[in-house]
Amino acid sequence: MKNEKQLRTFKVFAIKEGTVIDHIPAGQALKIIQILKLYSHDHIVTTGLNFPSKTLGKKDIVKVENRELTQDEANKLAILAPTATINIIRNFELAKKFLVEIPKQLSKVIFCPNPKCITNHENMHTLFYTKKEKVGLKLQCHYCEKIFSQNDIKEYCV
Amino acid sequence: MATNLKGRDIISIKELSKEEILAILKNAYDLKKSPKPKLLDGYVMGSCFFEPSTRTRLSFETAMQRLGGRVVGFADPSVTSSKKGETLYDGMKIIGQYVDAIAMRHPLDGSARRAAEATDKPILNGGDGANQHPTQTLLDLFTIKECQKKLEGLDIAMVGDLKYGRTTHSLAQALTHFGARLYFVAPDSLQMPSYICDELAEKKIKFSLHSKIEEVINKVDILYMTRIQGERFADPMEYEKIKNVFVLNAKMLEKSRANMKVLHPLPRVGEIETNVDTTKHAYYFEQAENGLYARQALLAMVLGKIK
Ligand SMILES: [Zn+2]
């Protein structure tokens, strides 16, 4: 499971303990850092942009030292990076690998794009229901009940 | 029929099951036939109108008073603390401590849902921005049932601004319970949004899109007219061109079905000529009156006095 080739990506900037978020669609790494609040992480966070990727063409990678991402945290990335893979590294070795799952509900992850939505006028959390489509994802606001596609989402709760 | 709406918020028509809708209509029917002027004796309804809507407000307030209840509230948001920067949440939490149920209208989408989080008292949504107005849908269904003696399997046309008109969206969604055949008559730029059409298709409801009232008027049991607002058009010329296409007059009704009734959520501006009023097809004033009974039924049910 951890042969030389598979670990190449991590060796570029090998880490001892932590998480490597791989297969991020190019251009989304910085937003992921915001959503996961990694800018206030105490340890090293490394970001790589535009790595060549067989499946995505180009991909970004985020490497977080001394923090293991949980499935729930990873699922917050469902809108930005549904293709992301989460690699948990312990003592330089790949200890666990999992995919982002699209949760049924997204709480406190995105802002509602509807300017007349109550959530944009009161100091309160947002809540969205997700529905998988043939391509992509539809998101319905719990409050204003409007339905959005992934591309409509411009702002993330940070 | 085991339905119990005691303590429930009525925010969105989609949250009501077919059985619950039918129970509300049955109670509205009973209250229309035999008034119960003491039913809500001792209860107080908060009437919170953060945006003026005289008709909806008077209908809710009269409904409460006709059942023997009392009303407190405001019709003008400038008198409330929201002008001073108080959140809707805080405001509704406090009002909820004074009253037994709250009828509210607010200009922001989702405000009724938010208010319901602030208080345990039932919230009756009288319109949250462009989102929902469930009591309008209930009175529409009640009226359709009243004038057609049934709800199942009717041919129903909706005319006018179907893109922005929440009334027609909610009614179309509610009619999925009753196997209606729907005709949507609107200018191309104001046709029924695709998410509603998708929902109808998913539920196997037959519908078609039209650009002239004449294409459907002789095929339907209900002609549901709505207003087209000039503001919806970026180009005033476009509005001038289409506005007369979606106007109903008495002559157009000559070959319609004998049982066909014309409905309209009111206020109308020019889309139903007054010569329609005296035909056997006009039913929009009865419809407006029925708001009273639908709201009475809801109030009595969420307060647990009837099932
Ligand atoms: Zn919203």
Side-chain angles (χ1 to χ4, degrees):
Chain A
M1 119 182 232
K2 42 209 185 271
N3 65 37
E4 197 62 21
K5 209 169 177 198
Q6 274 178 314
L7 283 172
R8 196 193 321 149
T9 307
F10 317 128
K11 283 205 164 158
V12 173
F13 34 79
I15 66 172
K16 188 175 177 216
E17 309 283 340
T19 307
V20 175
I21 310 171
D22 196 3
H23 300 109
I24 301 167
Q28 306 288 32
L30 297 179
K31 283 187 197 149
I32 284 176
I33 287 173
Q34 281 195 314
I35 290 184
L36 296 176
K37 297 189 170 62
L38 296 178
Y39 48 80
S40 56
H41 186 51
D42 274 345
H43 300 269
I44 294 173
V45 177
T46 323
T47 307
L49 306 180
N50 298 326
F51 285 84
S53 159
K54 272 201 196 106
T55 47
L56 300 171
K58 279 180 181 177
K59 66 174 183 181
D60 293 351
I61 296 175
V62 173
K63 186 196 70 169
V64 191
E65 295 194 21
N66 298 313
R67 174 165 163 192
E68 293 192 1
L69 228 57
T70 64
Q71 181 77 56
D72 282 351
E73 288 173 313
N75 292 350
K76 288 186 174 187
L77 310 180
I79 299 169
L80 275 178
T83 51
T85 49
I86 314 299
N87 303 276
I88 305 296
I89 309 295
R90 288 175 194 151
N91 196 21
F92 294 110
E93 296 201 338
L94 181 59
K96 204 163 73 172
K97 179 169 182 159
F98 54 93
L99 297 170
V100 167
E101 287 165 16
I102 295 167
K104 284 206 171 68
Q105 298 189 4
L106 282 176
S107 171
K108 297 181 261 181
V109 177
I110 51 176
F111 285 117
C112 184
N114 171 11
K116 283 198 69 199
C117 179
I118 184 76
T119 59
N120 290 315
H121 295 261
E122 296 231 330
N123 183 13
M124 60 185 284
H125 296 316
T126 62
L127 177 62
F128 285 80
Y129 302 104
T130 63
K131 195 180 164 213
K132 273 183 217 164
E133 297 278 287
K134 274 177 222 131
V135 229
L137 189 66
K138 286 255 182 284
L139 298 149
Q140 182 169 34
C141 175
H142 171 67
Y143 293 91
C144 71
E145 303 184 26
K146 291 224 164 10
I147 298 169
F148 304 97
S149 71
Q150 274 160 283
N151 299 334
D152 297 322
I153 308 300
K154 303 280 183 248
E155 285 185 273
Y156 296 84
C157 309
V158 288
Chain B
M1 218 184 292
T3 54
N4 189 355
L5 292 186
K6 185 178 181 185
R8 275 270 291 274
D9 301 308
I10 309 296
I11 309 287
S12 173
I13 194 74
K14 282 186 285 180
E15 293 169 335
L16 293 171
S17 68
K18 180 175 180 177
E19 287 65 37
E20 287 164 346
I21 289 173
L22 289 172
I24 295 164
L25 302 189
K26 169 78 168 61
N27 285 327
Y29 177 82
D30 291 346
L31 286 164
K32 184 171 186 176
K33 245 179 51 185
S34 31
K36 290 207 165 67
K38 295 252 165 62
L39 189 64
L40 296 185
D41 187 20
Y43 288 90
V44 180
M45 179 188 86
S47 174
C48 302
F49 279 68
F50 294 88
E51 162 182 89
S53 171
T54 308
R55 194 187 325 267
T56 304
R57 182 173 62 83
L58 293 183
S59 177
F60 266 116
E61 294 181 358
T62 313
M64 188 64 183
Q65 290 178 348
R66 291 264 178 214
L67 293 175
R70 290 165 183 266
V71 176
V72 296
F74 52 89
D76 177 358
S78 64
V79 304
T80 69
S81 309
S82 63
K83 279 276 163 201
K84 296 177 203 150
E86 186 183 48
T87 61
L88 176 67
Y89 187 91
D90 286 2
M92 297 308 280
K93 193 175 183 68
I94 290 161
I95 294 165
Q97 291 166 344
Y98 303 152
V99 301
D100 303 298
I102 296 173
M104 71 175 282
R105 188 186 190 98
H106 193 284
L108 292 173
D109 305 343
S111 50
R113 180 86 57 202
R114 179 61 171 164
E117 291 171 352
T119 174
D120 291 337
K121 305 294 168 60
I123 298 276
L124 304 182
N125 182 7
D128 60 321
N131 185 30
Q132 289 279 335
H133 191 5
T135 59
Q136 176 73 47
T137 312
L138 290 165
L139 79 88
D140 289 344
L141 292 172
F142 178 78
T143 305
I144 293 170
K145 190 170 185 204
E146 179 180 72
C147 67
Q148 300 298 332
K149 310 280 181 281
K150 63 173 187 176
L151 268 177
E152 301 282 345
L154 293 168
D155 300 320
I156 298 179
M158 300 183 189
V159 182
D161 178 355
L162 304 184
K163 182 174 183 185
Y164 298 100
R166 64 179 173 197
T167 313
T168 50
H169 299 172
S170 302
L171 183 58
Q173 288 170 323
L175 285 168
T176 61
H177 292 303
F178 305 103
R181 164 68 166 96
L182 300 176
Y183 299 87
F184 300 134
V185 187
D188 283 348
S189 59
L190 295 179
Q191 258 299 356
M192 198 55 102
S194 56
Y195 77 90
I196 300 275
C197 292
D198 291 349
E199 214 178 304
L200 297 175
E202 217 169 89
K203 296 193 169 149
K204 308 243 180 318
I205 296 297
K206 272 198 189 157
F207 65 92
S208 50
L209 309 181
H210 302 269
S211 53
K212 280 206 174 77
I213 296 175
E214 289 83 347
E215 290 170 23
V216 306
I217 193 162
N218 299 335
K219 297 196 256 193
V220 298
D221 305 304
I222 296 286
L223 189 69
Y224 196 104
M225 299 289 296
T226 65
R227 183 154 59 105
I228 294 180
Q229 289 169 285
E231 308 92 88
R232 301 290 186 210
F233 293 86
D235 178 2
M237 285 298 290
E238 200 200 336
Y239 174 59
E240 289 304 315
K241 255 190 282 172
I242 65 103
K243 75 173 186 192
N244 295 322
V245 178
F246 299 91
V247 171
L248 184 70
N249 63 51
K251 197 162 184 329
M252 292 160 74
L253 295 165
E254 278 170 2
K255 288 189 176 146
S256 63
R257 291 178 183 170
N259 64 309
M260 196 276 271
K261 298 290 184 217
V262 180
L263 303 185
H264 190 300
L266 304 182
R268 67 172 155 178
V269 182
E271 58 278 7
I272 302 178
E273 288 186 11
T274 49
N275 59 24
V276 176
D277 296 1
T278 49
T279 68
K280 65 182 176 189
H281 301 291
Y283 211 71
Y284 27 90
F285 293 116
E286 288 86 345
Q287 178 188 7
E289 183 197 338
N290 284 338
L292 193 54
Y293 309 111
R295 291 178 178 116
Q296 283 186 23
L298 273 178
L299 280 164
M301 289 171 87
V302 299
L303 289 170
K305 298 302 279 187
I306 52 175
K307 287 209 173 173

